[in-house]
Amino acid sequence: MTVQPELKTGDTATMTEIRFHNTMSGRAEPFVPLVAGEVSCYTCGPTVYDYAHIGNFRTFVFQDVLRRYLRSRGFRVTQVMNLTDVDDRIIQKSAAAGVSIREYTDKYIQAYLDDRRALNLQPPEYIARATEHIDDMVQLIQRLTEKGFTYVSEGSIYFRIAKFPAYGRLSKIDVTGMQTGARVDMDRYDKDNARDFALWKAPKPGEHFWETPIGPGRPGWHIECSAMAMKYLGDTLDIHSGGVDLTFPHHENEIAQSEAATGKQFVRYWLHAEFLLVDHEKMSKSVGNFATLRELFAHGHKPSSVRFLLASVPYRSQLNFTPESLQGAASSVERLRTFAARLKSGKFPAGASPEIASRAAKALGDFDSGLADDLNTAQALAAIYDLVRDLNIAMDRGEFLQGDVAPVLAVLEMFDSIFAVLDDDDAEKLKSLGVGPSSPTLSDAEVEALIAERQAARKRRDFASSDHIRDQLAQSGIILEDSRDGGVRWKRK
Ligand code: AMP
Ligand code: ZN
């Protein structure tokens, strides 16, 4: 396991205060965890009825950036992520495929975990499958029943939202005047249909069900997250996150279930990621405008480009996905990798310059304050781009000295502990996933651009960068032949 660097900018009191936008208050608030130095996080994971799409991964990458940033600031993070492996769609699809729910979902869980690895998402401390926590859900429903928050109708158990006056506070819906006793059985519905929702669903003929003390049936989606969050993290947790579409009804219902049972605040900070869009419409399975990671990889895109693109747009801004934006991300990663290679293997004059040390310290400070400001990754990246631009100039002029390498390397390490794109391991990842070309294919124009970049590096005698570009081209099956007149010919293997 790699050790994550921590910011060593001195006393934490002098570091920028972390602020997160809390959906509950509608404002950015200073982040102070319940227990000093520790953060408990609950992450709504995927419903494993199919491959996750990159819209889903936009939210999962945000949750990873959040986790990594908190760790870089020295917090001990305990993160729980659920896997929804029973719901209406899973029951339908596994029945259609003629296999058990377990067998059906195992395949997509494995694919999801493989995809997470491809995107360098750190594993949460607990990954909890809903079907392995049925007892916890049943016990929570029993507690709610003892306190009078539930009623039974046709074998299903419902939560009576009229008994919970705070209902609607997170999503800001007004439930006054709502017809009491109106019910909804579906897990997913919109604000206009706010109703009493199902905690436990009576089995339909032929459907998979569990025999339990509260009767035969299966859990609703919402009770799953309340039960598993509180089991691993206690009654009150610091951060709960997901995409904005989970605010209502999922998170509203989680609050109602948890707080009705415990009488305590369930979550202190609610963080919601905005959508990834395609042609300005939410990417979703139902619209059909989705792309899976594997599809992108099969088209020659790299895991690092996808991660970088998803991480670089601040999580509360919508991200309109285009193939060009992915190519832009690939070039940014390549520029950063080329700089890292130049830094690590370049030969610089002896000595150390105080200006460069303070330039590096400034970049580190700016990088951190960008992230401290509600994870403003764009601002944090700008600090790194500025540094790279200035230092490339200093290197070209011979003003960058050997002793300047270490402080700048420390900045890159900090950057990469959050963005996680500098390791040149894309080809390896694609190979282990068994998808896409084992080496990324480059268009003629991309090859020409890289060759021009390499020529420029050679001209300024930056052989570390020119070698790096040659290796990168070789990985994509491009062979270079340097001609005597200083020109370059190339061909594909
Ligand atoms: P699901 O598997 O549908 O429960 O979704 C898993 C996660 O992906 C949830 O946090 C959703 O809010 C999130 N999500 C779904 N679609 C998008 C999208 N287009 N952009 C960003 N996040 C999304
Ligand atoms: Zn959830």
Side-chain angles (χ1 to χ4, degrees):
M1 203 175 134
T2 50
V3 178
Q4 185 156 8
E6 285 181 20
L7 270 179
K8 296 278 188 316
T9 51
D11 182 27
T12 44
T14 64
M15 288 165 78
T16 316
E17 174 184 70
I18 300 177
R19 295 173 78 82
F20 290 140
H21 182 273
N22 189 345
T23 311
M24 185 58 91
S25 65
R27 284 195 307 272
E29 298 174 9
F31 175 70
V32 184
L34 199 55
V35 178
E38 298 190 9
V39 181
S40 54
C41 269
Y42 188 85
T43 298
C44 283
T47 308
V48 285
Y49 70 103
D50 204 339
Y51 295 104
H53 57 65
I54 57 160
N56 302 131
F57 278 108
R58 201 260 155 128
T59 295
F60 299 132
V61 167
F62 140 66
Q63 289 159 335
D64 185 64
V65 168
L66 169 65
R67 168 195 172 86
R68 284 170 176 268
Y69 181 55
L70 290 168
R71 293 181 78 197
S72 85
R73 289 285 294 249
F75 291 105
R76 199 166 75 88
V77 175
T78 307
Q79 184 188 4
V80 178
M81 178 181 68
N82 67 299
L83 297 171
T84 301
D85 61 350
V86 53
D87 88 331
D88 301 335
R89 286 167 300 184
I90 291 172
I91 289 179
Q92 264 170 26
K93 288 191 167 240
S94 57
V99 294
S100 67
I101 290 183
R102 185 90 193 177
E103 201 180 325
Y104 185 82
T105 54
D106 272 351
K107 172 178 163 192
Y108 293 112
I109 288 177
Q110 194 51 53
Y112 173 65
L113 297 178
D114 291 344
D115 285 355
R116 284 184 65 92
R117 267 192 297 279
L119 291 186
N120 284 346
L121 302 180
Q122 290 183 340
E125 281 62 32
Y126 297 94
I127 297 183
R129 266 178 104 136
T131 54
E132 289 172 0
H133 294 79
I134 301 290
D135 288 350
D136 302 289
M137 299 176 210
V138 167
Q139 281 163 27
L140 185 54
I141 295 170
Q142 284 174 319
R143 279 172 80 185
L144 289 169
T145 300
E146 279 159 24
K147 294 194 166 188
F149 285 96
T150 71
Y151 62 92
V152 177
S153 173
E154 295 174 26
S156 292
I157 306 177
Y158 295 88
F159 186 94
R160 192 188 298 280
I161 60 175
K163 272 273 294 185
F164 187 72
Y167 195 85
R169 268 180 58 212
L170 180 74
S171 54
K172 324 287 179 243
I173 57 162
D174 184 3
V175 288
T176 49
M178 205 194 71
Q179 194 195 343
T180 45
R183 288 181 296 279
V184 53
D185 284 302
M186 282 178 314
D187 285 328
R188 295 176 192 242
Y189 51 92
D190 57 26
K191 286 185 190 181
D192 295 339
N193 287 304
R195 310 265 170 92
D196 291 347
F197 57 92
L199 298 164
W200 188 254
K201 302 186 188 193
K204 296 202 184 90
E207 243 182 40
H208 184 86
F209 65 92
W210 282 262
E211 200 58 76
T212 74
I214 55 172
R218 64 182 173 95
W221 171 35
H222 317 293
I223 196 71
E224 159 193 329
C225 286
S226 284
M228 298 195 288
M230 294 197 291
K231 173 176 177 134
Y232 295 104
L233 299 172
D235 292 347
T236 301
L237 42 132
D238 289 310
I239 301 178
H240 195 318
S241 66
V244 277
D245 55 339
L246 299 192
T247 313
F248 187 89
H250 188 50
H251 291 159
E252 196 69 71
N253 292 353
E254 278 190 47
I255 294 172
Q257 297 161 151
S258 303
E259 299 192 356
T262 66
K264 296 182 200 153
Q265 183 183 22
F266 175 44
V267 168
R268 303 177 60 244
Y269 299 87
W270 285 97
L271 271 57
H272 290 104
E274 260 300 341
F275 289 141
L276 179 136
L277 311 174
V278 180
D279 292 334
H280 306 284
E281 196 173 0
K282 177 191 174 193
M283 178 177 279
S284 76
K285 286 272 159 59
S286 52
V287 178
N289 59 353
F290 65 95
T292 63
L293 274 186
R294 287 145 205 260
E295 284 163 356
L296 294 180
F297 297 160
H299 281 95
H301 295 291
K302 299 178 192 175
S304 59
S305 325
V306 180
R307 176 171 174 106
F308 190 82
L309 174 64
L310 299 183
S312 59
V313 177
Y315 77 98
R316 290 186 58 239
S317 306
Q318 294 185 330
L319 192 171
N320 195 40
F321 175 79
T322 59
E324 292 74 37
S325 56
L326 208 44
Q327 273 148 18
S331 321
S332 302
V333 171
E334 211 37 61
R335 263 202 312 278
L336 292 166
R337 285 182 181 173
T338 304
F339 176 75
R342 186 178 190 188
L343 187 67
K344 283 182 194 156
S345 49
K347 292 278 165 284
F348 306 107
S353 48
E355 297 82 45
I356 293 201
S358 71
R359 182 69 193 78
K362 178 180 180 320
L364 201 57
D366 291 350
F367 181 75
D368 180 67
S369 15
L371 294 173
D373 178 12
D374 197 24
L375 299 180
N376 189 335
T377 46
Q379 200 185 314
L381 270 179
I384 302 298
Y385 289 153
D386 285 353
L387 179 75
V388 169
R389 194 198 47 234
D390 291 354
L391 296 188
N392 268 324
I393 294 171
M395 287 175 183
D396 292 346
R397 289 187 182 148
E399 292 165 4
F400 188 91
L401 308 178
Q402 197 56 42
D404 301 332
V405 171
V408 176
L409 216 48
V411 180
L412 286 193
E413 274 170 20
M414 177 51 69
F415 156 78
D416 210 43
S417 72
I418 311 290
F419 282 82
V421 292
L422 290 183
D423 272 356
D424 201 351
D425 57 0
D426 291 297
E428 228 170 275
K429 283 180 170 155
L430 293 176
K431 209 164 158 195
S432 76
L433 267 183
V435 282
S438 57
S439 50
T441 45
L442 296 173
S443 67
D444 287 3
E446 283 167 326
V447 174
E448 302 283 356
L450 281 167
I451 291 176
E453 219 179 286
R454 176 171 172 264
Q455 292 292 80
R458 280 160 66 102
K459 208 157 159 203
R460 57 172 196 259
R461 307 190 63 74
D462 171 10
F463 297 113
S465 302
S466 69
D467 288 351
H468 177 72
I469 296 171
R470 177 188 270 274
D471 292 348
Q472 190 201 342
L473 287 164
Q475 269 182 27
S476 302
I478 307 296
I479 299 167
L480 300 186
E481 284 167 21
D482 293 319
S483 60
R484 286 224 185 108
D485 60 2
V488 179
R489 278 196 302 273
W490 64 274
K491 61 180 184 206
R492 294 183 192 273
K493 244 192 262 178

